[in-house]
Amino acid sequence: MTTPQLHSEIAAAAARLKAGGTVAFPTETVYGLGADISNPTAVRRIFEIKKRPSDHPLIVHMAGSSCLPHWARHVPEQAWRLAEHFWPGPLTLILPRSPCVPENVTGGQDTVGLRVPDHPVALALLGALGPERALAAPSANRFGRISPTTAAHVREELGEAVDMILDGGPCRVGLESTIVGFEGETAIILRPGGIPLAALAEVLNGKVVVAEGAKRTTRVPGSLSSHYAPLTPLGLVSQESIGHQFGSLVLKGLRVALIGWSDQHFPPDIGKNEKVVYFSMPAEPEGYGRQLYAALRQLDQQGFDFLLVETPPDETGWMAIRDRLQRASCISDFKFQIDENDSVRGARNAANETTSG
Ligand code: TXA
Ligand code: MG
């Protein structure tokens, strides 16, 4: 799309939003489904389109960190430091909600998730809305499913339900933002994401901790143990056992996609078996993260019985990827082994249950 065309699309999108419509737009992480937070009907529409429970809070997107005091009642010093360093960028700060943020946006919570996206289209759209307005924007997918990283994914997923889709090309990061909350001056990672732990630790002189599973689940529904899931059963399997697992699925006559990064398990005769595909992912986290959701979407549409994913390295730079794969997987090494005879049917049922809402 040419620049003047894009500008007029952005102006039209801003007008739609001001009139209470919904607009899907690109960010550097994933595409968001946006609505003006001051319009309760538009916000309700987001929950309806996504089929998302109304107590799951939405992230508020704003044009710059200077808007922070308008939407947050109190901003700890550490939060300012992170905002100044990482915004615009893939970081969401959970802060006490100011009276300007309606309760329906935060699912009744007294806190609000705030972020400044690093994408020229998103920033132009927020600029066109003006400093008094902000956009509630969850990822533009149905609840529990894979986030979209292209405009075509949004169209596939939401179709006519959304009033307009702005196309800003494929997302640069490809995984959702890192969500950080605060207990006093200690920063707590509630959802790993686009900003790696090491980068946060550097800016905060090491004063950052990663929330344990239980804490994350209560405060951040996006951290539910099943989320970000394809419809095809997905198993996350260690490097040591993937060859064996793969072999046993193939022996059962199943169509299997093997998704690896180390390329150690590329079966030499894979080209001869039409039921089997090897999908090679980048061996570094930025490239892997950028491609992950598009790869899962693509493989999900190819009628495989099973997606077998090689567990990524146990290093902090891979934390967000490991987190998403764990939530997308319906079967682990352990369960896979004890259920071996019945594993695929069991896995398929589990996948259907998790994606029904
Ligand atoms: O990268 C992103 O963050 C993308 C793009 C579109 O900005 N958005 C996104 O939104 O991932 P969503 O709604 O799919 O996930 C937001 C997560 C949810 O898990 C929600 O529970 C959590 O943020 N969240 C939002 N406000 C919160 C709050 N006040 N307290 C705790 N968690 C909150
Ligand atoms: Mg989401």
Side-chain angles (χ1 to χ4, degrees):
M1 199 182 294
T2 60
T3 309
Q5 247 176 324
L6 190 55
H7 278 197
S8 73
E9 290 243 340
I10 291 168
R16 284 280 181 123
L17 289 164
K18 285 181 185 172
T22 54
V23 172
F25 63 95
T27 81
E28 80 284 27
T29 58
V30 300
Y31 274 70
L33 172 61
D36 177 353
I37 64 166
S38 66
N39 187 317
T41 314
V43 172
R44 198 173 326 119
R45 187 82 192 109
I46 285 188
F47 286 97
E48 282 167 13
I49 292 174
K50 278 186 67 87
K51 300 190 171 42
R52 175 169 167 143
S54 61
D55 60 348
H56 286 215
L58 305 174
I59 293 177
V60 172
H61 294 63
M62 46 186 201
S65 45
S66 59
C67 308
L68 201 43
H70 185 66
W71 306 115
R73 210 165 59 234
H74 166 69
V75 184
E77 200 189 308
Q78 302 288 51
W80 271 121
R81 205 184 281 191
L82 292 177
E84 275 157 16
H85 203 276
F86 292 110
W87 281 349
L91 174 73
T92 295
L93 298 176
I94 306 293
L95 296 171
R97 166 172 73 87
S98 90
C100 302
V101 180
E103 239 179 80
N104 59 339
V105 171
T106 67
Q109 306 211 39
D110 192 37
T111 53
V112 58
L114 293 164
R115 131 168 163 86
V116 181
D118 185 19
H119 192 291
V121 172
L123 289 172
L125 182 63
L126 289 161
L129 288 170
E132 297 300 309
R133 281 193 162 91
L135 289 178
S139 50
N141 52 279
R142 307 273 181 197
F143 185 63
R145 300 295 322 285
I146 304 167
S147 299
T149 54
T150 67
H153 294 165
V154 181
R155 225 165 277 126
E156 239 169 68
E157 178 99 18
L158 303 181
E160 302 294 304
V162 54
D163 293 327
M164 193 172 166
I165 301 172
L166 282 174
D167 189 346
C171 300
R172 171 174 60 81
V173 176
L175 297 176
E176 300 78 359
S177 58
T178 302
I179 301 183
V180 174
F182 297 88
E183 269 172 26
E185 282 292 334
T186 303
I188 300 170
I189 299 184
L190 298 169
R191 177 178 74 179
I195 304 275
L197 172 66
L200 290 171
E202 196 180 322
V203 172
L204 297 176
N205 300 322
K207 284 193 194 150
V208 56
V209 295
V210 182
E212 305 132 30
K215 205 172 213 175
R216 274 204 239 161
T217 307
T218 49
R219 295 197 54 190
V220 187
S223 299
L224 293 174
S225 60
S226 58
H227 218 80
Y228 312 106
L231 290 172
T232 315
L234 182 151
L236 189 56
V237 183
S238 67
Q239 229 174 60
E240 295 73 49
S241 61
I242 199 163
H244 166 70
Q245 309 288 25
F246 178 69
S248 60
L249 289 170
V250 171
L251 276 179
K252 287 177 188 167
L254 297 169
R255 293 199 67 218
V256 185
L258 183 61
I259 304 164
W261 58 271
S262 67
D263 290 351
Q264 280 183 27
H265 300 282
F266 186 101
D269 58 350
I270 206 156
K272 297 183 199 138
N273 186 343
E274 60 182 26
K275 288 190 167 173
V276 171
V277 156
Y278 180 79
F279 201 94
S280 175
M281 294 292 285
E284 41 75 35
E286 288 78 20
Y288 193 114
R290 191 176 305 127
Q291 290 180 29
L292 175 62
Y293 289 158
L296 291 181
R297 246 171 219 281
Q298 185 188 327
L299 293 168
D300 215 9
Q301 290 170 350
Q302 292 179 10
F304 288 103
D305 295 304
F306 213 93
L307 309 180
L308 209 52
V309 183
E310 176 185 11
T311 303
D314 191 8
E315 294 164 13
T316 60
W318 289 83
M319 192 161 69
I321 293 164
R322 290 173 69 93
D323 173 79
R324 301 307 188 273
L325 285 173
Q326 270 151 10
R327 295 177 202 293
S329 99
C330 58
I331 198 158
S332 65
D333 262 0
F334 178 66
K335 189 166 176 229
F336 190 86
Q337 277 162 8
I338 56 171
D339 283 356
E340 197 152 341
N341 290 331
D342 207 17
S343 56
V344 174
R345 183 152 308 279
R348 192 187 294 286
N349 289 343
N352 286 344
E353 274 161 34
T354 61
T355 52
S356 59

